[in-house]
Structures are given as C-alpha cells and as structure tokens.
Amino acid sequence: QPVASILRSEEILNLSLVRIDPQRPGFIDGLAAGQLMLQDLSEELRGDRELVMTAIRAGGWCLEFASNLLRADREVAHAAIQNDPLALEFLLGNLKRDRVLVLQAVQRNGWALSFADDALRGDREIVTSAIRSNPLALQFASDDLRADPKIVIEAV
C-alpha cells in the first residue's frame, strides 16, 4: 500500500535513508570467525558498534583497536572484559575507575589489577579478589595494602 494513501494530508512523514556498505555482512562474518581482525578495518568501521561488538566476542583484546568513543562505552567494556579480563587495559574515560567492571576483571584474572585506576588498587575487596585469582597481583596493590598482613597472608 503506498505511503501516501496511509497518511492523511496534514501528516508529515520523516524518512531517513541510510546507505549500508554491501561488504558489511562479510565484515561481520569475518570478524565472528576470526578471519578478519578489527585492526584491519578502517577507522570509520572501528567506530561501528555492531562490528566492534562482534570482534570483541571473538577476542576481548581487540578493544585496543576500537574507536575511542567505543573504548569509553560501558556496554562495550563489559563485553570485552567478559571475553578477556585484561581488556581493562584498553578502557578509556572513567571506566578504569568503574568498581564493578574492575572487580569483574580481577576476579577472572588478578593481573588485570595492573590496569585499574590507582584508587581501586587501594580497595580491599578488589585487591583481595585479584590476589585470590593470581597471588602475583599483590605487586599492583597500593602501598598500604601491600603492607597489610592480612592481604599478604591471603597472597601467600
């Protein structure tokens, strides 16, 4: 049915046309299969949320090559950390200060504490979780916690 017959004469239709690159489905398939890497894409495509999320599901470390805007996006960060906790290194903005994200990362890989904001390196729960995952993470804790006998015993 033609749009004109659906609309009454006083109604206004706003129509946006979007051009989608015909190669886009191939990019998605290639990223998902690991045959294409995010760093191989143009800067513009590294800012495409769907492409970046597809790449992150294949390997969280590729967050390093996403646009700065997406590296500062909490949802993208969460997906990357779920895939690879060490992706914490590549977060931008305040995300390295996000207690929930950092805790998720260090619980899975204590070494991720090395990429957390300094304030969270002094957080007892985060440091304890990190050293339970990897006792060597103690070296990334704040001076106060490295000197705390309870924390040191937990690491040994």
Side-chain angles (χ1 to χ4, degrees), residues 6 51 66 69 73 83-85 88 96 120 122-123 132 142 144:
I6 297 171
L51 292 177
L69 184 66
D73 181 284
N83 186 282
D84 182 354
L88 186 65
K96 289 185 180 187
L120 294 180
D123 181 298
R132 283 181 182 156
S142 68
D144 290 344

Side-chain angles (χ1 to χ4, degrees), residues 16-24 44-45 48:
S16 297
L17 299 177
V18 178
R19 183 182 178 277
I20 297 176
D21 189 327
Q23 294 179 321
R24 194 166 191 282
E44 179 184 352
L45 292 174
D48 181 303

Side-chain angles (χ1 to χ4, degrees), residues 1-71:
Q1 190 173 20
V3 174
S5 67
I6 297 171
L7 297 175
R8 292 181 297 232
S9 61
E10 67 274 358
E11 292 180 346
I12 296 174
L13 174 65
N14 288 320
L15 180 65
S16 297
L17 299 177
V18 178
R19 183 182 178 277
I20 297 176
D21 189 327
Q23 294 179 321
R24 194 166 191 282
F27 291 148
I28 291 171
D29 293 343
L31 289 166
Q35 298 166 336
L36 183 63
M37 299 293 136
L38 192 59
Q39 64 265 36
D40 297 329
L41 300 181
S42 69
E43 191 172 327
E44 179 184 352
L45 292 174
R46 286 187 262 153
D48 181 303
R49 181 182 204 78
E50 184 180 8
L51 292 177
V52 169
M53 289 295 278
T54 300
I56 283 172
R57 285 185 204 102
W61 58 270
C62 72
L63 181 64
E64 175 182 7
F65 303 103
S67 70
N68 287 347
L69 184 66
L70 291 177
R71 289 174 60 193

Side-chain angles (χ1 to χ4, degrees), residues 71-142:
R71 289 174 60 193
D73 181 284
R74 193 173 194 290
E75 182 185 350
V76 172
H78 176 72
I81 287 171
Q82 290 297 75
N83 186 282
D84 182 354
L86 298 180
L88 186 65
E89 176 181 4
F90 306 114
L91 302 185
L92 295 181
N94 293 327
L95 293 179
K96 289 185 180 187
R97 287 185 229 148
D98 185 309
R99 193 172 188 286
V100 172
L101 288 175
V102 171
L103 188 57
Q104 288 172 348
V106 301
Q107 285 173 337
R108 296 190 55 229
N109 186 331
W111 203 261
L113 185 62
S114 67
F115 305 118
D117 185 77
D118 288 343
L120 294 180
R121 292 179 189 205
D123 181 298
R124 182 173 296 279
E125 181 184 6
I126 287 177
V127 170
T128 301
S129 293
I131 61 177
R132 283 181 182 156
S133 171
N134 182 345
L136 296 175
L138 180 62
Q139 66 186 306
F140 305 117
S142 68

